Amino acid sequence: MRGKDYRYHADFMELFPESLPGMSAFVWGTFISPVDTTLKFTLIPYGPAVVYLNGQEIARTDIFSERDAGTEVPVNVAMKTGKNHLIIKFTCTPAGFGGEFGTWLGKLDYYFLKPLPDCHDEEGVVYCRPFPDTDREAIGISYLDTHEIDWLPRRTWKAEDVEKGQFGRIFGHRPGLSAVARTIGNFSSAGDGDYIFSGTHNGSLSIRVGRDLVFEKGGTGDFSFSCRIPTGRYPIIIAQTCTDSTWGFSLVVKEVIQKKDYQVSVEFENPLVRVEKTSAQPWIFCGPFKAGHESGMNIDVNPDQLWSSSDGLSYWRLDYPDGWIRQYNENPLFGHWNYPLGVTLYGLLETARVLGDCPSGQELGNYVQAHVRASVSNFPYAMWDKEQFGGATGVHHLLTSIDSLDDCGSFGSLMLEAAKDCDIGSGYKEIAAYVAHHILHEQSRLEDGIFFRKDLMHHFHNDTMWADDLYMSIPFLCRYAALSGDASLLDDAASQFIGFRKLLYDPVRRLMNHVYDFRRNMATGVAWGRGNGWTIFSLAELLEVIPREHDMRPELLDFFRNFADGLLAMQDSDGMWHQVLDVRESYPETSCTAMFIYAFSRGIRNGWLEEPLKFRCACELAWTALQKTSIDYHGNIHGVCRGSEFSFTPRYYAEELLPRLNDTHGIGIVLLAGVEMKKLRRHYM
């Protein structure tokens, strides 16, 4: 299983305590890559280890990496498009046997699939029993080609479990409790067809086809009945109550072909898992329930639905040992919760508002609603999955493992904004409270209450303050203050700006440093474009909602004006701002240019800027520049810096953080700039 750090843990001394020094074992997993790419992984060895990719050795440990428990060994893996087979050989020493392998950065959702034919779409790796590896020349990967390997864990029941029936082997002997099995039957007859249902049962049985109860029988024995069913695909739901140690059923459905005097079996399909060989696992199971409490499961299957069983909340299972269905989201741009998508959807939402009831506006609005609603609807499942399986989830992996403002504030703010316009599901307030709890009660703060980064899975960020975090917190606090009616949240938001300005703002350049490093007690000295963009973007959001009589408003307004003047001085003659604002040799950067348009326009429209004309000219010049260099005829966005780490040298930002096409850090921001330009021009009409 993947642990809370999203890495696979394989302690072979725990799995096989009889292992002796000199023995080895292999683990094997398949990674599906959509493109040719190089991914960074981390290996934490407990002893010697060798890593193979697609049959070739790509890394091995040495005495230095094996010396200290917990040493992280970076492994760069060049994945090809499609299936990649990654195998690790671990060798036992008196010091340890096994290791941990997975993402280099906690919460990156890298996962492997089991490579065996009967494990299609099952997450994880397989492993073998330890074998002697004490020859003069250590055994290599060719061992797998020359030996019959008994891969574990097994997916088949023991003989004594098979005799217990499906419910008995999955849920155990639970007298008086019931459980449900579900499949989909493909009733392919032309028009209404006559079908014969037959099988066996141990325990009282009811069968539904769709919403119709078609059969009930108590006790134990055989059954057979006929039923007329219209053409179509219908759920078949079997509910059964445990009365004996054997608890299960068998079912065959056949269509009666009257004129030709023969029968055709109805094919069953799994309702949730779309696999190549659906016949292998056509049924899903849930329970156990108090008898009669399973009736609600006759409705259509909602993939996000958890069920209240006698053992607590539960989800659907499959008929093999520890066989659970889990949710995964492999679409990187839909249904995911992360901060760049939060900004992207904010831009789409504001664009939809400006376009209004025209088809394009409705289409964008519907898209935002669908994305946010998908994120809201599976939050309860994701939190249950986290507790059930040890921490690493395949949906909401950032929100369920929340340890930073990045994980929650940006998308949380968008969620609250979207709720003003459309129905995103009743659960959004629960998520908002969850996000607020982290920001208000769990987020690391300095003694004066100002946010900073500490105790993160991404250790590189520990003991730092980032300008980015103003956007990752302030817009959410503004919107949650309105939702909750708690005005003190605006006090907190205002205080953050004062505290961040104290440590990150350079009053001489009138620019924000990107990061303050508390280990060195100094700011980086680098005025990264988007870091400055996040700051003034968020300040504009706060000034829009903070009451005019608020004690800190004058200080915030003074900061906005002074900061805006500093930024204005950095605009180039073409209208762009650069990746490092005061390094003209760095490339013109799209996202920060769009952010400054957004903030300046709001400053003009709301009367915050004392010389609005020069800022209006700057906005017009910048928007023209974006149309020339950043937005092509097809609507692609060019010149957006990717997500960053931090450095004390501007060369890192200028030469390593190179621009990308259609990066989600910039799409929504450019849309917001366009919306603001439209509003600004109306302001002067």
Side-chain angles (χ1 to χ4, degrees):
M1 298 290 290
R2 290 184 295 166
K4 291 181 179 179
D5 56 8
Y6 281 70
R7 295 172 183 151
Y8 294 95
H9 294 234
D11 187 340
F12 283 100
M13 287 304 296
E14 182 178 323
L15 286 168
F16 304 106
E18 70 280 5
S19 299
L20 299 174
M23 302 184 84
S24 292
F26 287 100
V27 300
W28 176 19
T30 300
F31 188 91
I32 311 296
S33 180
V35 295
D36 289 353
T37 187
T38 297
L39 297 179
K40 292 172 62 177
F41 288 85
T42 291
L43 170 66
I44 302 176
Y46 304 158
V50 184
V51 183
Y52 302 90
L53 177 69
N54 298 323
Q56 302 297 316
E57 179 183 326
I58 61 170
R60 66 169 56 229
T61 58
D62 56 26
I63 59 172
F64 301 101
S65 56
E66 297 162 14
R67 168 65 177 83
D68 297 314
T71 298
E72 296 187 359
V73 179
V75 181
N76 292 321
V77 182
M79 299 289 188
K80 65 180 182 180
T81 302
K83 289 185 178 180
N84 295 269
H85 294 279
L86 192 137
I87 294 174
I88 306 176
K89 189 186 85 168
F90 293 108
T91 299
C92 180
T93 73
F97 186 15
E100 303 166 27
F101 188 84
T103 168
W104 70 279
L105 170 60
K107 296 178 295 185
L108 284 183
D109 196 26
Y110 296 166
Y111 60 84
F112 289 84
L113 299 179
K114 294 180 179 177
L116 305 182
D118 64 341
C119 295
H120 180 80
D121 278 351
E122 184 173 325
E123 192 215 319
V125 297
V126 295
Y127 55 95
C128 67
R129 295 184 182 279
F131 54 86
D133 188 14
T134 55
D135 294 341
R136 178 170 296 181
E137 184 171 338
I139 290 173
I141 196 172
S142 61
Y143 180 86
L144 300 179
D145 297 325
T146 57
H147 291 74
E148 189 74 25
I149 304 297
D150 182 19
W151 292 107
L152 303 171
R154 291 192 175 93
R155 291 178 82 252
T156 55
W157 294 105
K158 297 177 181 178
E160 59 266 29
D161 292 323
V162 173
E163 300 300 321
K164 297 176 182 177
Q166 304 98 317
F167 294 128
R169 54 184 174 256
I170 294 172
F171 302 112
H173 184 210
R174 309 297 291 271
L177 298 184
S178 63
V180 168
R182 191 177 186 114
T183 189
I184 292 177
N186 185 13
F187 297 90
S188 57
S189 171
D192 292 353
D194 293 316
Y195 296 87
I196 295 177
F197 289 64
S198 61
T200 62
H201 65 106
N202 295 89
S204 61
L205 177 83
S206 69
I207 301 177
R208 291 179 180 268
V209 177
R211 297 178 181 272
D212 298 328
L213 179 65
V214 297
F215 184 74
E216 282 186 301
K217 187 179 180 184
T220 295
D222 301 330
F223 66 88
S224 180
F225 65 93
S226 60
C227 189
R228 173 157 284 221
I229 299 174
T231 302
R233 296 173 68 255
Y234 300 101
I236 300 174
I237 305 106
I238 289 183
Q240 199 167 12
T241 301
C242 177
T243 56
D244 200 348
S245 58
T246 300
W247 181 22
F249 67 93
S250 65
L251 175 66
V252 174
V253 181
K254 292 188 176 183
E255 180 186 2
V256 179
I257 310 298
Q258 301 284 3
K259 294 182 179 180
K260 297 185 179 180
D261 195 28
Y262 67 88
Q263 299 176 348
V264 178
S265 295
V266 170
E267 293 183 354
F268 297 154
E269 299 175 12
N270 192 299
L272 290 177
V273 182
R274 298 290 180 257
V275 297
E276 293 174 356
K277 296 180 179 179
T278 55
S279 59
Q281 290 288 338
W283 292 90
I284 59 177
F285 303 85
C286 197
F289 306 98
K290 292 181 179 178
H293 286 207
E294 75 282 358
S295 58
M297 305 192 76
N298 296 327
I299 61 175
D300 295 337
V301 172
N302 175 359
D304 297 321
Q305 177 72 55
L306 295 168
W307 301 98
S308 296
S309 76
S310 298
D311 299 332
L313 290 177
S314 191
Y315 198 66
W316 296 98
R317 302 184 65 169
L318 295 171
D319 185 14
Y320 60 86
D322 295 320
W324 289 87
I325 296 175
R326 297 180 71 184
Q327 287 193 28
Y328 294 83
N329 184 359
E330 294 180 321
N331 187 332
L333 298 178
F334 186 84
H336 265 296
W337 175 293
N338 60 48
Y339 82 80
L341 284 177
V343 188
T344 301
L345 292 172
Y346 186 23
L348 290 170
L349 179 63
E350 288 293 345
T351 304
R353 287 169 170 170
V354 167
L355 293 176
D357 292 333
C358 72
S360 294
Q362 292 178 345
E363 185 177 359
L364 288 181
N366 291 340
Y367 178 84
V368 173
Q369 179 184 21
H371 185 130
V372 180
R373 192 177 179 91
S375 297
V376 168
S377 66
N378 63 13
F379 175 70
Y381 166 81
M383 295 300 290
W384 173 85
D385 183 282
K386 171 187 175 181
E387 298 301 320
Q388 174 78 8
F389 300 113
T393 62
V395 291
H396 279 328
H397 61 281
L398 296 179
L399 194 56
T400 56
S401 302
I402 183 171
D403 70 351
S404 72
L405 294 168
D406 278 4
D407 296 339
C408 59
S410 170
F411 203 101
S413 174
L414 171 276
M415 177 185 70
L416 293 180
E417 191 65 28
K420 298 175 184 178
D421 286 18
C422 50
D423 178 11
I424 59 172
S426 59
Y428 82 91
K429 292 183 179 180
E430 177 188 354
I431 302 179
Y434 173 75
V435 170
H437 178 81
H438 174 82
I439 294 176
L440 299 175
H441 303 294
E442 296 182 359
Q443 170 62 34
S444 298
R445 296 179 182 238
L446 302 173
E447 290 184 1
D448 59 359
I450 305 305
F451 300 139
F452 79 116
R453 301 189 179 192
K454 182 182 179 182
D455 299 328
L456 306 185
M457 291 188 190
H458 193 1
H459 304 310
F460 181 75
H461 290 197
N462 285 335
D463 302 313
T464 57
M465 171 189 285
W466 294 52
D468 313 43
D469 281 347
L470 289 168
Y471 184 78
M472 307 307 156
S473 57
I474 303 304
F476 175 83
L477 289 174
C478 292
R479 289 169 174 80
Y480 195 67
L483 179 69
S484 65
D486 185 354
S488 69
L489 299 180
L490 296 181
D491 300 338
D492 192 12
S495 297
Q496 296 303 324
F497 269 103
I498 306 306
F500 273 67
R501 181 183 66 171
K502 179 180 177 181
L503 291 177
L504 290 177
Y505 188 62
D506 182 344
V508 176
R509 294 183 297 166
R510 294 176 298 178
L511 301 174
M512 290 284 283
N513 293 298
H514 182 206
V515 170
Y516 191 93
D517 187 343
F518 290 100
R519 295 178 183 176
R520 295 178 173 86
N521 287 320
M522 62 186 298
T524 57
V526 180
W528 179 43
R530 192 156 69 232
N532 280 260
W534 289 129
T535 303
I536 199 163
F537 187 111
S538 306
L539 186 51
E541 292 257 307
L542 177 59
L543 287 171
E544 284 245 310
V545 299
I546 197 167
R548 289 186 174 273
E549 64 275 9
H550 195 281
D551 291 345
M552 283 183 273
R553 182 180 174 84
E555 190 173 0
L556 294 173
L557 198 54
D558 179 70
F559 179 31
F560 184 88
R561 292 167 177 162
N562 190 274
F563 188 18
D565 283 336
L567 294 171
L568 185 63
M570 294 295 105
Q571 188 177 29
D572 70 20
S573 58
D574 293 327
M576 296 290 289
W577 279 267
H578 288 243
Q579 168 72 340
V580 182
L581 294 177
D582 53 353
V583 178
R584 286 299 171 91
E585 295 77 22
S586 63
Y587 63 88
E589 203 280 325
T590 296
S591 67
C592 72
T593 299
M595 283 176 164
F596 300 148
I597 292 173
Y598 175 91
F600 290 174
S601 172
R602 284 198 166 189
I604 294 166
R605 293 191 298 104
N606 289 288
W608 304 333
L609 295 169
E610 295 173 328
E611 298 180 74
L613 181 59
K614 66 180 183 181
F615 287 98
R616 180 190 177 189
C617 292
C619 288
E620 292 287 356
L621 185 62
W623 184 243
T624 300
L626 287 180
Q627 292 178 90
K628 287 182 178 179
T629 64
S630 301
I631 310 167
D632 69 23
Y633 180 79
H634 299 287
N636 295 300
I637 303 299
H638 302 257
V640 176
C641 169
R642 65 176 174 85
S644 78
E645 299 298 336
F646 78 92
S647 174
F648 284 84
T649 171
R651 295 179 67 92
Y652 163 73
Y653 297 86
E655 299 175 11
E656 295 186 41
L657 294 182
L658 297 178
R660 290 180 173 178
L661 175 67
N662 289 331
D663 192 288
T664 50
H665 290 85
I667 296 171
I669 294 167
V670 171
L671 286 169
L672 289 168
V675 167
E676 276 300 325
M677 286 304 301
K678 195 171 184 69
K679 292 179 179 179
L680 182 62
R681 289 166 178 171
R682 287 177 181 170
H683 178 74
Y684 279 99
M685 288 177 63

